[in-house]
Amino acid sequence: MILKAERLSAGYARIQVLKAIDLEVKKGEIVCLVGANGAGKSTLLKVLSGVIPPTAGAFTFDGRDVTGRKPNQLVRMGLSHVPEGRQIFGSLTVKQNLFLGAYVNPAKKERLDDLLESVFGLFPKLKERLAQKAGTMSGGEQQMLAIGRGLMSQPKLLLLDEPSLGLAPLVVEAILSTIGELRSRGISILLVEQNVNAALHISDRAYVLETGRIVLQGEAKDLLENEEVKRCYLGM
Amino acid sequence: MSDISHLVQFLFSGITVGSVYALIAVSLVIVYKVSQLICFAQGEFFVFGALTMTTLVSKGVPVPLAFFLSIIIAMALGALIQQVLIRPMKNTSVGALIVMTIAISLALRGLALLIWGRESHVLPPFSRGEPIQVLGAALQLQILWIVGITTVVLFLIWFFFEKTPAGIAMRACAENPYGASLMGINTQKTTLVAWAWGSGIGALAGMAVAPMLFTQYTSGIMPMVKGFIAMSIGGLGSIVGSVIAGLLLGLVESYTIGLISSKFSDTIVFALLMAVLVFRPNGLFSRS
Ligand SMILES: Nc1ncnc2c1ncn2[C@@H]1O[C@H](COP(=O)(O)OP(=O)(O)OP(=O)(O)O)[C@@H](O)[C@H]1O
Ligand SMILES: [Mg+2]
């Protein structure tokens, strides 16, 4: 088990968003988190990466209780969060963005170069753009950068929040197939994705979140057949 | 003196004053970038730097040691202020924070009055020696120190922000604190370091010109205003812009005083600021 959340609750100021969430990601799994706008998907990822402290409940990462840890501790342990809206550093170059991904694990120069090469293996485009200011890249390239930057910390678990938002269908396909490739590199993935159909096809299991509660969970291929999922999230 | 020697003399004083404005502007920019805040207490660091060093030297501390001690004291003071007074206000409005920095400025000025009194203090020049004659104008050795220190500091800042992981992390923090925290960058620590840098550079400006000025507890007010003007002309967040604007301001002032009258120098500087704000609201050197 790489991640296990038990009765996790959280929110902002006075609003409670998440209500007693139970969720697991096993080693080497891609788990998809499905839910309507405002259901609390991004909030859950923020709790898991230590950005927001939970108000109740607990979660373990790689077998250790990490409730209340800060993002810098969690990144160091191998939990990387590629946030909604990419949050890349537009005024910095692509290379600087990537190096910041490895900020918490200061590696030797050669090791950094190896890491860069492995990111280029997934996103060859980034290699040509190393010296470019990240803010001047296209949306698709920026998303590749955001994922690549998240990989520079050598995560065991990657939290991906809507990696295909606003991208053209072909790019979406490329990004999703890359996510499938990450699993074969031994990285477990918790994926939030609006393209539910495509996401379920690359996922092992999935959870459906409705107004802060898990209302449905199961094997991805079973959820693809589920009548309610079909109606609400697959538009069938 | 010939006309040429006058013009050269004004050039020297313009570069001297301009370097000071540039340093203060840079110290403001560094704090502004990470905290989105103009710290109005920056002029007081100028005074604390100058007066701490003056006191240390008068007590017999060797000049190089006094120099580094004064910078370190100012950096610690800046970090302390950020930690104790600014950090707890992180969820308040920028307006409240600006009022806070003004309050800090007044408090530090009061503290300087308590420690050093109302008298003016002069620091001996960093090195002894006759001024160098250049085209009939006198170039005081301290001016070489000022220009040298400014150059070194600007180079270090450039190196820090372009080449070191900590500097790049600081820029990331300034641009996008949320994104930076996800990289595991400790945004609070980074902010603290930025304030320490800002305070140290402000102090350095005061120390470098202390041998050429009569420094007293209120001496930080005008340099702060001019540094702020340089920062605005340079485009608020731009280090390069601020440096150029600071030097420009120093030269404009110096030539106005020399060729027209000292009565007009501030008027012209403020007119310049207003013109820039009206015609180039993003700064003289912004691309947009
Ligand atoms: N910073 C915030 N402050 C206050 N409320 C917030 C904040 N961020 C999110 N919320 C609220 O929390 C709820 C859940 O938001 P969240 O971003 O987690 O939804 P989501 O499932 O990711 O939606 P989407 O699919 O639109 O990204 C929403 O009602 C939202 O308005
Ligand atoms: Mg979201």
Side-chain angles (χ1 to χ4, degrees):
Chain A
M1 200 74 65
I2 192 81
L3 181 81
K4 184 175 173 67
E6 274 177 290
R7 308 203 61 74
L8 213 49
S9 299
Y12 304 92
R14 257 160 292 145
I15 8 165
Q16 196 189 6
V17 176
L18 300 176
K19 296 148 195 151
I21 302 280
D22 289 315
L23 176 144
E24 307 177 345
V25 179
K26 297 194 188 76
K27 283 201 171 114
E29 249 187 350
I30 299 183
V31 172
C32 182
L33 190 58
V34 178
N37 293 120
K41 305 180 296 293
S42 298
T43 306
L44 179 54
L45 295 199
K46 284 183 191 168
V47 172
L48 295 174
S49 63
V51 175
I52 308 177
T55 50
F59 66 105
T60 63
F61 173 65
D62 211 10
R64 275 195 277 176
D65 186 354
V66 290
T67 321
R69 298 256 177 127
K70 294 270 177 257
N72 57 350
Q73 297 169 298
L74 290 165
V75 182
R76 199 167 282 129
M77 291 174 70
L79 192 159
S80 182
H81 179 178
V82 178
E84 192 170 19
R86 302 167 198 140
Q87 313 293 340
I88 58 158
F89 307 110
S91 68
L92 301 183
T93 64
V94 169
K95 192 173 184 180
Q96 288 170 331
N97 270 273
L98 288 170
F99 279 175
L100 280 174
Y103 181 76
V104 291
N105 301 320
K108 292 241 162 57
K109 173 102 187 32
E110 305 84 68
R111 184 83 197 90
L112 273 178
D113 288 342
D114 287 351
L115 279 171
L116 275 184
E117 281 306 322
S118 79
V119 169
F120 299 151
L122 292 168
F123 304 113
K125 257 223 176 97
L126 293 180
K127 190 168 186 169
E128 305 154 21
R129 303 300 170 91
L130 273 181
Q132 189 176 338
K133 288 259 185 296
T136 63
M137 294 204 302
S138 77
E141 290 161 355
Q142 291 190 16
Q143 187 60 55
M144 293 173 196
L145 176 59
I147 299 175
R149 186 184 63 175
L151 291 171
M152 289 293 287
S153 62
Q154 299 173 269
K156 297 174 186 147
L157 173 68
L158 197 59
L159 310 179
L160 281 171
D161 200 345
E162 310 217 8
S164 73
L165 193 68
L167 303 183
L170 267 177
V171 185
V172 174
E173 217 171 280
I175 296 244
L176 288 176
S177 82
T178 307
I179 294 168
E181 210 171 305
L182 288 176
R183 169 176 41 191
S184 61
R185 293 186 176 197
I187 300 173
S188 316
I189 290 160
L190 180 57
L191 170 68
V192 171
E193 183 49 62
Q194 297 285 4
N195 289 299
V196 176
N197 189 17
L200 286 177
H201 274 101
I202 61 162
S203 300
D204 301 301
R205 288 187 306 114
Y207 292 84
V208 177
L209 196 61
E210 251 171 43
T211 56
R213 286 180 208 282
I214 302 281
V215 293
L216 198 64
Q217 57 178 295
E219 299 285 315
K221 58 181 188 307
D222 297 338
L223 289 190
L224 276 169
E225 301 303 321
N226 182 295
E227 287 307 317
E228 203 186 322
V229 171
K230 275 186 177 168
R231 187 162 42 81
C232 297
Y233 301 105
L234 300 175
M236 292 191 237
Chain B
M1 271 213 241
S2 67
D3 283 349
I4 293 283
S5 64
H6 276 124
L7 292 180
V8 174
Q9 197 70 61
F10 303 149
L11 177 70
F12 291 161
S13 54
I15 289 176
T16 307
V17 179
S19 300
V20 172
Y21 295 166
L23 284 178
I24 294 190
V26 165
S27 76
L28 286 167
V29 170
I30 290 175
V31 168
Y32 177 79
K33 281 200 163 206
V34 292
S35 298
Q36 283 74 51
L37 178 64
I38 312 289
C39 175
F40 281 93
Q42 224 50 252
E44 275 55 52
F45 289 107
F46 175 94
V47 170
F48 270 73
L51 295 183
T52 309
M53 183 162 173
T54 306
T55 302
L56 288 174
V57 169
S58 74
K59 295 264 187 286
V61 178
V63 170
L65 182 62
F67 183 85
F68 286 109
L69 275 179
S70 309
I71 292 180
I72 288 168
I73 291 171
M75 290 177 85
L77 185 62
L80 184 75
I81 286 172
Q82 200 283 328
Q83 177 77 22
V84 175
L85 298 172
I86 302 292
R87 184 187 180 194
M89 294 179 71
K90 71 173 174 206
N91 293 324
T92 53
S93 67
V94 172
L97 275 163
I98 288 179
V99 171
M100 184 56 153
T101 71
I102 293 173
I104 293 167
S105 157
L106 294 172
L108 288 178
R109 207 174 297 159
L111 187 63
L113 176 62
L114 280 177
I115 300 175
W116 290 287
R118 290 177 188 281
E119 310 85 66
S120 301
H121 304 259
V122 185
L123 182 69
F126 291 3
S127 52
R128 292 178 201 291
E130 290 299 308
I132 302 167
Q133 295 298 320
V134 182
L135 296 171
L139 176 61
Q140 287 171 304
L141 295 185
Q142 189 64 27
I143 294 181
L144 293 179
W145 275 108
I146 294 173
V147 173
I149 287 172
T150 307
T151 311
V152 169
V153 167
L154 295 179
F155 173 77
L156 287 179
I157 290 174
W158 171 83
F159 187 83
F160 177 70
F161 281 113
E162 287 295 329
K163 301 290 172 198
T164 68
I168 292 167
M170 192 176 283
R171 286 167 65 191
C173 238
E175 182 183 326
N176 184 342
Y178 171 51
S181 73
L182 290 181
M183 299 300 103
I185 297 166
N186 183 334
T187 49
Q188 163 57 17
K189 202 170 102 194
T190 306
T191 309
L192 208 60
V193 171
W195 277 71
W197 267 90
S199 313
I201 294 169
L204 196 59
M207 291 153 59
V209 287
M212 311 188 72
L213 289 181
F214 295 98
T215 311
Q216 59 174 58
Y217 71 108
T218 53
S219 296
I221 299 173
M222 276 328 262
M224 164 67 208
V225 172
K226 299 291 170 59
F228 181 41
I229 292 174
M231 179 194 187
S232 312
I233 292 177
L236 279 187
S238 159
I239 288 184
V240 177
S242 310
V243 171
I244 298 174
L247 287 170
L248 202 66
L249 217 56
L251 289 169
V252 167
E253 249 186 58
S254 165
Y255 281 104
T256 312
I257 293 173
L259 300 177
I260 308 172
S261 154
S262 62
K263 277 184 249 158
F264 291 120
S265 74
D266 283 346
T267 317
I268 289 188
V269 164
F270 282 102
L272 196 65
L273 172 67
M274 282 188 263
V276 170
L277 290 182
V278 169
F279 295 110
R280 302 290 307 247
N282 294 321
L284 206 50
F285 312 107
S286 64
R287 259 163 252 147
S288 52

